[in-house]
Amino acid sequence: MMNFPTHKFYEDLIALFCAGVLVSFGIMLFSKHNLLTGGTAGIAIITTHLTNLNFGVLFFLVNLPFYYIAWTRLSKRFTINTFISVAVVSVMTEQMDTFIDISNVDPIFSSVVGGIMIGMGVLIMFRHKSSLGGLGILALYLQNRFNVRAGNFGLIVDATIILSSMLLFSFDLVLLSILGAITLNLLVAVNHKPGRYQAYTLPKKMNNKTIQKSEKDTAVSSTQ
């Protein structure tokens, strides 16, 4: 197989900033109707209702084992890019209301379009060796290791988290949150499949002569 060139660092920064804006806008749409989210953020929100710990502490503690997986099982670059993504989303989410004011929005629109915005942002992050941390890290690890689609895994986990929140929140709110989770994760599942837009490596058995021959054949075919 041929090697796909990796993105340069400044290309990652530009893409991750754009992804962070998309995710932040989606979160803002969710927040207009207090929709719930999945992933480690959803776990932290639910746990705040069961313990005396605040969201910040819980979110940090829940993410720790996943960052360890990213650093040891995926790559250091992926871990650093994930920190960048989380930082952009954290800042932009807090500042989004200063840039845009939405006084009225339909709840179903918030759920569907919010899920699309977050899904597009997550997809960009995945393609630039990044994620929103937490279960996104585990989803990518399972996809790379066992060919489990990241979107399918995320859909199951998010649905489980949101369904469990029925004990604490209204049924209508949970249904809208599930709709948002389905939209988000189906978008990722359809567009981020194993073997697509990933960094391939040459087989170890290929020696220098084989590589040179391949390059020569490519050059000849390109002139024809």
Side-chain angles (χ1 to χ4, degrees), residues 204-215:
K204 293 182 179 180
K205 293 182 180 180
M206 292 183 66
N207 53 32
N208 292 332
K209 291 183 178 179
T210 305
I211 295 174
Q212 291 173 0
K213 183 179 184 300
S214 177
E215 293 176 345

Side-chain angles (χ1 to χ4, degrees), residues 11 16 25 33 36 45 62 75 100 112 118 149 154 199 204:
E11 294 174 329
L16 296 180
F25 185 72
H33 293 281
L36 305 172
I45 291 174
V62 171
S75 72
I100 184 172
V112 174
I118 298 174
R149 289 188 184 179
K204 293 182 179 180

Side-chain angles (χ1 to χ4, degrees), residues 88-100:
V88 172
V89 171
S90 298
V91 174
M92 289 302 299
T93 301
E94 294 296 323
Q95 300 299 321
M96 189 62 70
D97 287 335
T98 64
F99 300 114
I100 184 172

Side-chain angles (χ1 to χ4, degrees), residues 36 46 50 161-171 174:
L36 305 172
I46 294 175
L50 304 175
I161 294 172
I162 294 175
L163 284 174
S164 66
S165 67
M166 292 181 66
L167 300 174
L168 302 171
F169 304 99
S170 68
F171 182 70
V174 173

Side-chain angles (χ1 to χ4, degrees), residues 143-182:
Q143 177 167 285
N144 293 337
R145 183 66 176 83
F146 301 105
N147 289 329
V148 176
R149 289 188 184 179
N152 292 345
F153 174 79
L155 178 60
I156 294 173
V157 172
D158 287 354
T160 301
I161 294 172
I162 294 175
L163 284 174
S164 66
S165 67
M166 292 181 66
L167 300 174
L168 302 171
F169 304 99
S170 68
F171 182 70
D172 292 342
L173 180 64
V174 173
L175 282 181
L176 287 172
S177 300
I178 292 175
L179 178 60
I182 291 174

Side-chain angles (χ1 to χ4, degrees), residues 7-217:
H7 294 99
K8 296 179 180 179
F9 184 67
Y10 77 87
E11 294 174 329
D12 283 344
L13 290 178
I14 295 173
L16 296 180
F17 175 77
C18 295
V21 172
L22 288 173
V23 171
S24 300
F25 185 72
I27 292 174
M28 185 191 72
L29 290 176
F30 275 13
S31 67
K32 291 299 178 181
H33 293 281
N34 297 316
L35 301 183
L36 305 172
T37 60
T40 50
I43 295 174
I45 291 174
I46 294 175
T47 309
T48 57
H49 293 270
L50 304 175
T51 66
N52 294 324
L53 297 175
N54 61 44
F55 174 81
V57 173
L58 287 169
F59 190 65
F60 176 77
L61 293 176
V62 171
N63 272 294
L64 281 179
F66 297 106
Y67 283 116
Y68 175 78
I69 293 175
W71 189 265
T72 58
R73 300 296 182 180
L74 295 174
S75 72
K76 295 178 176 60
R77 178 177 176 180
F78 174 81
T79 308
I80 293 171
N81 283 3
T82 296
F83 275 117
I84 294 173
S85 297
V86 171
V88 172
V89 171
S90 298
V91 174
M92 289 302 299
T93 301
E94 294 296 323
Q95 300 299 321
M96 189 62 70
D97 287 335
T98 64
F99 300 114
I100 184 172
D101 180 21
I102 300 178
S103 58
N104 183 36
V105 58
D106 181 80
I108 296 179
F109 181 89
S110 290
S111 177
V112 174
V113 177
I116 291 174
M117 294 295 100
I118 298 174
M120 287 299 297
V122 169
L123 185 62
I124 294 173
M125 291 176 185
F126 281 1
R127 291 186 171 183
H128 284 264
K129 294 183 172 64
S130 179
S131 75
L132 279 176
L135 294 173
I137 293 174
L138 181 58
L140 281 182
Y141 170 70
L142 292 176
Q143 177 167 285
N144 293 337
R145 183 66 176 83
F146 301 105
N147 289 329
V148 176
R149 289 188 184 179
N152 292 345
F153 174 79
L155 178 60
I156 294 173
V157 172
D158 287 354
T160 301
I161 294 172
I162 294 175
L163 284 174
S164 66
S165 67
M166 292 181 66
L167 300 174
L168 302 171
F169 304 99
S170 68
F171 182 70
D172 292 342
L173 180 64
V174 173
L175 282 181
L176 287 172
S177 300
I178 292 175
L179 178 60
I182 291 174
T183 303
L184 190 166
N185 288 287
L186 280 181
L187 181 66
V188 176
V190 169
N191 291 282
H192 190 78
K193 299 179 181 180
R196 291 187 181 179
Y197 207 86
Q198 295 179 359
Y200 289 88
T201 56
L202 292 170
K204 293 182 179 180
K205 293 182 180 180
M206 292 183 66
N207 53 32
N208 292 332
K209 291 183 178 179
T210 305
I211 295 174
Q212 291 173 0
K213 183 179 184 300
S214 177
E215 293 176 345
K216 181 178 180 180
D217 292 342

